[in-house]
Amino acid sequence: MRGMMEAMENNYSFVELVDIIRHLRSENGCPWDREQTHESLKPCLTEECEEVLQAIDNKDDENLCEELGDVLLQVLMHSQIAEEEGRFTIDDVINEISRKMIRRHPHVFGNGHAGTSAEVLLNWEEIKKAEKAAKAAKHHEIP
């Protein structure tokens, strides 16, 4: 039990959390975690998101911190399942959201301008539409 107590006192990094999830899904991990699929986890993701909203409504920082961790767990579980299937990894998820944030904030990372929140939202929607159009055109290209 001493090892468990030490684990409870440690501070963990994101990389260590990814390794914990990978271990839980491994052959020597947890039967429940190994059985999960994207589909089986859908209710869990919905529930955890609702609990985040409740914590925000209650202005309960301690619970908000815990519930955000539970949402992060869902992201990591889905990413791990996808990695096992050879579809994508958590690094792919991180790269995609990072690129999206940079693309959609040209007023911060580029030469764009947005002096108000309304301008930010307008630019965001215009960039989003252009991205979707480019994606649709790419899918319709003949190889």
Side-chain angles (χ1 to χ4, degrees):
M1 194 66 158
R2 179 174 155 83
M4 180 70 83
M5 292 304 294
E6 289 173 0
M8 298 301 289
E9 295 175 4
N10 282 350
N11 289 315
Y12 293 92
S13 70
F14 182 78
V15 170
E16 289 168 318
L17 176 58
V18 170
D19 287 341
I20 290 167
I21 302 308
R22 188 171 287 129
H23 184 72
L24 287 171
R25 297 242 339 139
S26 75
E27 186 177 306
N28 298 318
C30 171
W32 184 89
D33 289 291
R34 280 195 311 266
E35 291 174 2
Q36 299 314 301
T37 65
H38 292 299
E39 292 76 19
S40 71
L41 289 171
K42 285 171 61 175
C44 299
L45 181 57
T46 299
E47 179 182 332
E48 298 306 345
C49 289
E50 289 172 358
E51 290 175 356
V52 165
L53 298 175
Q54 289 172 354
I56 292 169
D57 288 345
N58 294 336
K59 298 180 180 15
D60 184 345
D61 286 346
E62 184 177 333
N63 190 241
L64 178 58
C65 181
E66 178 183 344
E67 299 305 337
L68 287 171
D70 291 344
V71 170
L72 179 58
L73 168 62
Q74 292 300 307
V75 171
L76 291 171
M77 286 287 286
H78 284 281
S79 297
Q80 180 59 34
I81 291 166
E83 181 176 336
E84 292 163 9
E85 296 171 350
R87 296 163 65 189
F88 60 85
T89 68
I90 188 63
D91 290 332
D92 296 324
V93 172
I94 291 168
N95 283 330
E96 182 60 30
I97 193 60
S98 296
R99 290 176 184 138
K100 181 188 287 186
M101 291 298 100
I102 292 167
R103 280 192 319 267
R104 294 198 184 169
H105 290 86
H107 56 285
V108 176
F109 300 105
N111 296 331
H113 173 74
T116 67
S117 293
E119 289 176 322
V120 170
L121 293 176
L122 180 63
N123 290 345
W124 180 282
E125 287 304 318
E126 288 176 5
I127 294 166
K128 186 175 177 179
K129 284 179 191 174
E131 289 171 353
K132 286 187 182 217
K135 195 175 202 178
K138 183 178 177 182
H139 287 300
H140 288 94
E141 288 178 358
I142 299 173

